[in-house]
Amino acid sequence: MPVRPILSFPDPRLRLPAPPVTRFDADLRALAEDLLDTMRSAPGIGITAPHIGVPSRLVVLELTPGDVRIYANPKLDQVSRESIRHTEGSVSMPGVTDELERHAHVRVRYQDLEGKEQSEDADGLLAVCHQHEIDQLDGIFWIDRLSRLKRDRLITRYNKLRRG
């Protein structure tokens, strides 16, 4: 499957909420394969359809090689009161990262590629990834979770990297 171009921050399409997946067909499976290939080439451990300019609530994660997880229409069903801090970044903003605080444990409801309802309990890095990618599907870019000062510094650093 082809590697697709990834939108770069500050592309306004990264700020748009993605509509739900309604068709569970060969096109959706092909999109998931394209996302996986694109994410691996970035490289990254998570990607959403909006990252490649496709307005659809589809997420692909691969936290360890070969353990590919695909989620259509994911949503947080439960979150813990406990939190963890983890370094985050984005395939749409390569070269910069920062530490964010997220819920330590989550339960995610989603549909698989056949449209069947599923749920998954997650903690640690997987919980962080779910929250990060669901934010992206909702049009919330990860740096929006930083303080204004940290966000401004990170954007300045990113712009310097882009200029080379």
Side-chain angles (χ1 to χ4, degrees), residues 31-53:
L31 175 59
E33 286 293 325
D34 288 358
L35 283 170
L36 178 60
D37 291 343
T38 302
M39 178 188 71
R40 284 175 171 166
S41 75
I45 60 172
I47 195 168
T48 65
H51 280 114
I52 61 169

Side-chain angles (χ1 to χ4, degrees), residues 15-30:
R15 303 279 191 184
L16 298 175
V21 172
T22 56
R23 294 182 50 201
F24 296 85
D25 57 11
D27 289 341
L28 182 65
R29 289 187 292 282

Side-chain angles (χ1 to χ4, degrees), residues 76-135:
L76 296 177
D77 194 35
Q78 292 180 4
V79 297
S80 67
R81 289 185 180 179
E82 300 86 30
S83 62
I84 58 174
R85 295 189 69 72
H86 201 282
T87 301
E88 296 186 32
S90 175
V91 295
S92 289
M93 198 178 204
V96 294
T97 60
D98 211 324
E99 195 171 81
L100 290 179
E101 191 167 310
R102 300 277 190 177
H103 298 285
H105 310 283
V106 299
R107 176 171 290 150
V108 177
R109 286 187 317 150
Y110 65 97
Q111 291 170 279
D112 62 22
L113 288 177
E114 305 304 317
K116 184 178 176 193
E117 291 282 334
Q118 306 281 343
S119 70
E120 177 175 276
D121 291 320
D123 57 10
L125 178 59
L126 182 56
V128 168
C129 288
H130 278 307
Q131 293 167 85
H132 177 103
E133 303 304 354
I134 290 170
D135 272 357

Side-chain angles (χ1 to χ4, degrees), residues 59-77:
V59 173
V60 173
L61 299 177
E62 187 179 34
L63 306 189
T64 57
D67 184 17
V68 177
R69 299 169 184 232
I70 301 169
Y71 306 88
N73 303 322
K75 56 186 152 199
L76 296 177
D77 194 35

